Amino acid sequence: MALFATIQSYEHPALHRNPIICPKSPSKNPVGSLRSIIIPMKNKSLLRAQVADSSLVQPLLAEDEALFEFDEYMATKAKKVDKALNEAVPLQYPKKIHRAMRYTLLAGGKRVRPVLCIASCELVGGDESLAIPTACAVEMVHTMSLIHDDLPCMDNDDLRRGKPTNHKAFGEETALLAGDALLSLAFEHIAAKTTNVSPERVIQTIVELGSAVGSLGLVAGQMVDIHSEGKEVTLRELEYIHVHKTAKLLEASVVCGAIMGGGNEIEVEKMRKYARCIGLLFQVVDDILDVTKSSEELGKTAGKDLVSDKATFPKLMGIEGAKNFAAELVAQAIQELAYFDGAKAAPLYYLANYIAKRQT
C-alpha cells in the first residue's frame, strides 16, 4: 500500500542536522516483556478478519486490562493538563480575546495530544513535569488549528465539541486573533515554563513543533486539502494531505515528549514512526466516523466531507478497506513500540487502541 512508503520516507531534516544528545543504552530484549499486555499478531489477515466484525477495529490488548488502568491514566493526565492550561491563559485584559482563547482551549476534548506527549516523555525515562509545558503548547497549537479550520474561509463549520464554534460565539475577527494568540503563546510557554531540561533539548522541541505547524507541516496539508476539493485525488495525494494536516501534529506531540524526557536518537525515531502511524490512523477513523455517525454523536457536523465532495479514505478505499487500513496502521504502530519496555510502553499501546476504537 502506498501509505507505508510515505510514512517511512517522511523525515525531519532539522533533527538529523541536530542529533539528540546524551544517548542511553537501547533495550536488550524488549519484545518478550510485551506479551502480558498485547495479543501476539501472527498475520495481518487474521487482524483483517477481526475488523470485518467490528464497527472500527477490534481491541488488540489482552483481556486482563487490570494490568494497566488506561481510563484512570487518561483522566489523571488530562486533569493535570487542564489545570496547567487554565493557569496558562488567565482571564485578563483585554477580556474578549482571552475569553475566546479559553472558550475553545478549555472546552473539554480528549486531550490525546498532550497525553501522548507526557506518555512519550515517561517512556524514555523522564518525569511528567518535564513535558507538561510542551503538552500544553501542543494543545494550544491544536486548538488554534480547530479555530482556524472552522472559519467560513476554511471549512465553515458551526459546531465543535457540541458547542458553537469560536467564530460563531465571538465573531470572525476575534476567532482569528484568538488562534493567532494561542499559536504564539505555545512557543513562549515552552521557552518560559520548561525547567530541568537542557537548552539544547528545549530548542529542538521548539524546532520540532514549529515545523509541524508551518508550510511543510499542517499548513501544507491544509493548503493541498483546500485545493483538492471537488477534484479527483489519488490515494497518495490523500495520504500527503493527512500526513501533514493531521498526523504531523500528533507526531510532534510524541517526538517532543521523547526529546524533553531525554530520549536518544534511536528512541526518538522509534517514537516518530509510531506517531506517524497513529496520526494517520486518527484521520482514517475520523473519516469513517464522518459517514457512520450523527452530528449529535460526534459533537460536530457529520457528513460534511460527503457534501463538499472531499476526498476521504472511505471514498477512495470503501468503508471496509478503510477499516482494514486502520488495522494495519495499529499493527505497525505496535511494532515500533516493541523496542521498549512493555510496562513503560503500556499507555502508548492503549492510546493506539483508543484512537482506533474512538466513537467521537
Side-chain angles (χ1 to χ4, degrees):
M1 188 167 290
L3 159 84
F4 293 106
T6 304
I7 285 183
Q8 296 299 336
S9 64
Y10 184 51
E11 300 296 341
H12 188 294
L15 196 60
H16 293 294
R17 292 196 300 270
N18 302 289
I20 298 293
I21 57 175
C22 304
K24 297 186 284 189
S25 299
S27 303
K28 300 300 181 185
N29 184 26
V31 178
S33 63
L34 304 175
R35 290 174 183 162
S36 63
I37 300 176
I38 306 300
I39 295 176
M41 293 179 296
K42 295 182 180 179
N43 58 64
K44 288 183 179 178
S45 62
L46 174 60
L47 187 57
R48 292 192 184 101
Q50 291 176 332
V51 173
D53 297 327
S54 170
S55 62
L56 283 176
V57 179
Q58 288 287 342
L60 301 177
L61 307 175
E63 291 182 2
D64 185 10
E65 297 199 0
L67 288 170
F68 180 73
E69 295 292 341
F70 176 70
D71 290 343
E72 182 181 340
Y73 180 88
M74 284 291 291
T76 300
K77 299 300 185 187
K79 186 176 181 180
K80 291 180 179 179
V81 169
D82 285 341
K83 181 176 183 295
L85 287 171
N86 183 54
E87 293 171 353
V89 187
L91 185 57
Q92 55 189 324
Y93 184 84
K95 287 190 175 181
K96 185 174 183 180
I97 189 64
H98 289 98
R99 282 198 187 99
M101 292 165 70
R102 289 171 60 86
Y103 176 80
T104 307
L105 184 65
L106 304 178
K110 296 171 281 290
R111 305 302 190 203
V112 170
R113 291 159 189 80
V115 174
L116 279 167
C117 182
I118 295 168
S120 179
C121 175
E122 292 176 330
L123 174 61
V124 298
D127 183 79
E128 69 172 25
S129 62
L130 304 178
I132 286 288
T134 302
C136 288
V138 165
E139 192 68 2
M140 290 174 190
V141 171
H142 174 54
T143 302
M144 172 278 297
S145 73
L146 299 182
I147 294 172
H148 285 181
D149 201 43
D150 290 336
L151 287 168
C153 62
M154 303 292 273
D155 277 2
N156 192 23
D157 221 328
D158 297 341
L159 194 65
R160 174 71 67 178
R161 292 171 179 166
K163 298 170 59 179
T165 49
N166 201 288
H167 68 276
K168 285 294 180 182
F170 295 93
E172 290 180 38
E173 299 89 346
T174 301
L176 182 64
L177 291 173
D180 291 345
L182 285 167
L183 179 60
S184 60
L185 178 59
F187 296 99
E188 176 189 345
H189 197 69
I190 293 173
K193 299 299 181 181
T194 302
T195 57
N196 301 318
V197 178
S198 71
E200 292 84 359
R201 288 185 180 273
V202 174
I203 290 170
Q204 280 187 309
T205 296
I206 290 172
V207 168
E208 184 74 34
L209 184 57
S211 73
V213 186
S215 62
L216 297 178
L218 189 154
V219 170
Q222 184 70 37
M223 193 72 193
V224 176
D225 190 27
I226 290 170
H227 288 284
S228 297
E229 287 190 20
K231 298 178 182 178
E232 290 294 324
V233 175
T234 66
L235 183 57
R236 181 170 289 276
E237 289 168 334
L238 184 63
E239 289 164 9
Y240 179 91
I241 290 169
H242 292 305
V243 162
H244 292 76
K245 182 179 176 181
T246 303
K248 196 65 178 79
L249 188 55
L250 275 157
E251 179 183 328
S253 305
V254 171
V255 171
C256 289
I259 293 171
M260 285 296 189
N264 62 44
E265 286 184 73
I266 295 174
E267 291 170 330
V268 169
E269 286 311 303
K270 288 285 184 185
M271 296 310 301
R272 185 184 298 282
K273 291 175 182 177
Y274 160 85
R276 290 173 192 167
C277 291
I278 64 166
L280 198 52
L281 171 68
F282 197 96
Q283 185 61 48
V284 175
V285 173
D286 209 53
D287 285 357
I288 294 170
L289 292 174
D290 188 67
V291 296
T292 59
K293 298 290 182 180
S294 67
S295 297
E296 290 73 23
E297 289 172 308
L298 293 178
K300 60 182 180 180
T301 308
K304 284 188 88 274
D305 292 340
L306 189 62
V307 171
S308 60
D309 196 29
K310 289 182 69 173
T312 65
F313 288 100
K315 181 179 177 181
L316 295 186
M317 306 172 77
I319 293 288
E320 290 306 312
K323 290 178 180 179
N324 290 340
F325 186 26
E328 290 181 17
L329 288 167
V330 175
Q332 187 170 338
I334 285 175
Q335 208 169 36
E336 297 301 333
L337 289 181
Y339 175 83
F340 299 94
D341 173 78
K344 288 184 178 180
L348 292 164
Y349 281 101
Y350 277 78
L351 273 161
N353 193 55
Y354 171 78
I355 290 171
K357 295 193 300 176
R358 70 190 181 91
Q359 298 296 303
T360 61

